[in-house]
Structures are given as C-alpha cells and as structure tokens.
Amino acid sequence: MIVVRSIKKMQALSRKLASEGKKIGLVPTMGFLHEGHLSLIKRAAKHSDAVITTIFVNPTQFGPNEDLNKYPRDEKGDLRKIKQAGGDIVFIPKATDIYPGDFQTYVAVEGITKTLEGAHRPTHFRGVTTIVAKLFNTTRPDVAVFGLKDYQQAMVLKQMARDLDYPIKIIVAPTVREKDGLAMSSRNKYFNPEQRKQAVCLYKALQRARTLVKNHRMTKTTVLSRAMGQIIRTICRTAEIDYIAFTDFESLRPVKKVKKNCICSLAIRLFGVRLIDNMKMM
Ligand code: PAF
C-alpha cells in the first residue's frame, strides 16, 4: 500500500494510473475509520483497479462551536484497516497544503444545501464541497463512494459532480450499523457505555416510523414525527432534537404524506454529541 502526503505527488500518481488505463476509485474520509468506511473501500474496489482512500479532517466543514479540535484521530490504526480492506493508496494531505494562508476559493452548491443539515450548520456543505472538489482534482477518480448515513452530503456531492461536469460516477453505499442498530460513526466514540446505550434512540425512532407506515398505513408526517419524538425522549430523557424531516429522496423537498421514495432524516444532540441518521420509509 502506498501512502502519499503531498498534493503534487498524488496528482502525478493519479495521472500515471490513468495513463496505464487503470480505473481509479476514491473514498474520501476524515479518518478514525470504522466498518462503515471499510465497506466503502470494498465497494470502491469492486468498481476500480486502484482505490485511493483519503484521510483529512477538513476544518472548513466544522462550525465555530463544533468538534474540530477533539475530532478523533488514529492514523496508524487507519492505515492498518485500509490495508486489510484492500485499499491501494492512502492520501493524507496536510491542512496547510490544502488551505494555504492565501486560500480564497470555495465551491458551494445552492438549493439543496439550505435544508436539513444546511439549515443547522450554515457553512458545513460549502466546506464539504470545497474539499471534495479539491480531492477530485487531485486524485482524478472514475468513481467515488460515499455513505448513505450522510444522505444529504451524498446528494449535494452528486449535484456538484453534475453541475461542474466531473466525469465521476458517484456511488452511495448503504449505512453500516452496530448490532443494536446505531449507525456507525466516528463520533460514537464520544459516549460512555450508558450514553452509548441511549444513542440507539435515533434508530429506534426511525424503525418506529417505518413500522407505522408499513404495518399501520400511517402516512401523515406530523403524526410520525410526534411518535418518533416520544420514542427518542423515552430512551434518552435529555435528547435535544435538531430536526426530524420527511423529504423526497431526490429533491429533498418536505412531504406531508409518506409515499414511495420518501426518506426520513433526523439530527439529535445526545450528551453534547450531535448524531444524524436516516431511513427510507417504503
Ligand atoms: O463524510 C465525511 O467524512 C466528510 O464529510 C468528507 C466527505 C470526507 C469530506 O471531508
């Protein structure tokens, strides 16, 4: 496995791979990898000849009061896991190379970044699209794989790829869950064992909504949201709900009644940790 730390070297390596006719798969990450990330690497390997995994905790996608400084890191462990998952190349750029002192260019998707996560984290997606555009430019992938857990992010990046004519196939891979259903996330590490048990409330609430839709033909999203709120507060008394939203999967427009292609997304603060999750309702 090759580890590359310089942007110029990464550009040269991707050009070489392309000139040899190799298909490049990209998996951008912020490190502290778990099974969810590894599933993206395995998925990328199925669609390419060389998988580049990037590790970069991207400062521009964190808000001023968010967890940039304490975001968990474990480069050694990550390299071991990427190798085991079948990764070929790991790109680990320095923050000062990605954002030099005179950096002043950002990439921003408009419409669909204004709702859900975007409404609560106003500068987040601008940071995500800027770093991913830079990683696309540096690694020149044929395919890039993102996780469905960050559903809105995946849709925003698809939009960016379309709008900016990146010849890249964006694959969205299913969420990987812990045994109790909690979506895998590097942030789950912040919980102590008792808090961790209560973190299952996101999954339980989504499951409840889906059961009401499937088994009880309940489609009114106001009623479903209320039922979800009750489940969340029963499992975790102190949970703060940022949003529970039912939207059309493609357009992200809110829906009043659940129908085909409707997804429920939610963001909750538990013990100072903000988690997101989602589930298709039909
Ligand atoms: O999903 C993430 O981990 C990040 O948002 C990404 C796509 C690696 C960009 O920093």
Side-chain angles (χ1 to χ4, degrees):
M1 194 169 78
I2 305 171
V3 178
V4 184
R5 292 178 193 274
S6 117
I7 294 175
K8 285 228 155 61
K9 283 193 180 141
M10 188 65 251
Q11 282 170 328
L13 180 55
S14 345
R15 270 200 298 269
K16 182 171 170 284
L17 289 168
S19 73
E20 291 166 356
K22 299 228 166 85
K23 231 174 146 182
I24 298 176
L26 176 70
V27 180
T29 82
M30 298 208 297
F32 206 72
L33 304 184
H34 50 67
E35 281 301 323
H37 295 111
L38 305 183
S39 76
L40 306 183
I41 296 172
K42 288 174 194 160
R43 186 73 180 260
K46 285 198 183 130
H47 293 268
S48 60
D49 305 305
V51 179
I52 305 174
T53 306
T54 68
I55 300 177
F56 182 65
V57 181
N58 175 37
T60 60
Q61 70 187 74
F62 288 79
N65 299 317
E66 295 183 6
D67 56 344
L68 171 63
N69 292 330
K70 65 168 187 171
Y71 197 83
R73 293 161 206 246
D74 176 19
E75 189 183 300
K76 229 169 119 189
D78 288 346
L79 290 175
R80 184 176 35 78
K81 289 175 193 166
I82 295 168
K83 196 169 175 188
Q84 275 168 6
D88 304 288
I89 298 157
V90 189
F91 178 44
I92 314 179
K94 281 199 204 68
T96 45
D97 289 341
I98 292 285
Y99 299 115
D102 62 346
F103 185 85
Q104 38 196 310
T105 305
Y106 289 88
V107 176
V109 171
E110 301 281 315
I112 59 168
T113 59
K114 304 292 181 242
T115 63
L116 307 179
E117 283 303 282
H120 292 264
R121 306 177 71 193
T123 55
H124 172 65
F125 285 118
R126 186 184 80 147
V128 171
T129 41
T130 300
I131 186 62
V132 173
K134 283 177 70 90
L135 294 172
F136 281 177
N137 295 338
T138 309
T139 61
R140 307 258 200 116
D142 298 281
V143 292
V145 187
F146 298 92
L148 182 62
K149 189 187 73 82
D150 296 296
Y151 147 70
Q152 188 180 12
Q153 166 173 283
M155 301 311 276
V156 168
L157 291 171
K158 273 188 168 194
Q159 186 74 43
M160 178 186 84
R162 269 201 305 277
D163 290 349
L164 298 186
D165 306 311
Y166 280 111
I168 301 170
K169 183 179 169 164
I170 308 278
I171 296 175
V172 185
T175 302
V176 178
R177 297 182 180 279
E178 303 283 357
K179 273 206 184 86
D180 65 353
L182 174 66
M184 287 197 182
S185 161
S186 306
R187 291 187 166 104
N188 294 348
K189 175 196 154 47
Y190 294 142
F191 297 121
N192 69 32
E194 180 46 41
Q195 296 170 342
R196 163 64 190 80
K197 269 192 217 154
Q198 297 182 35
V200 77
C201 66
L202 286 90
Y203 177 66
K204 293 284 182 200
L206 288 164
Q207 250 193 340
R208 177 76 185 135
R210 194 154 69 174
T211 303
L212 286 171
V213 172
K214 286 205 160 165
N215 299 353
H216 303 271
R217 300 211 177 131
M218 171 55 65
T219 56
K220 264 179 107 172
T221 55
T222 46
V223 178
L224 294 170
S225 300
R226 220 175 301 132
M228 290 174 72
Q230 274 166 7
I231 297 268
I232 290 162
R233 275 181 281 268
T234 306
I235 298 175
C236 180
R237 209 173 32 85
T238 55
E240 292 165 60
I241 300 172
D242 265 4
Y243 62 84
I244 296 175
F246 291 82
T247 57
D248 175 74
F249 189 79
E250 306 295 334
S251 69
L252 276 87
R253 282 202 199 96
V255 296
K256 288 204 167 105
K257 282 194 163 187
V258 169
K259 45 186 181 278
K260 235 177 153 210
N261 221 22
C262 169
I263 187 164
C264 176
S265 311
L266 77 173
I268 297 183
R269 287 172 200 276
L270 302 165
F271 310 105
V273 181
R274 189 171 183 281
L275 293 183
I276 59 171
D277 200 353
N278 59 71
M279 199 178 273
K280 275 222 177 164
M281 287 290 112
M282 281 184 174

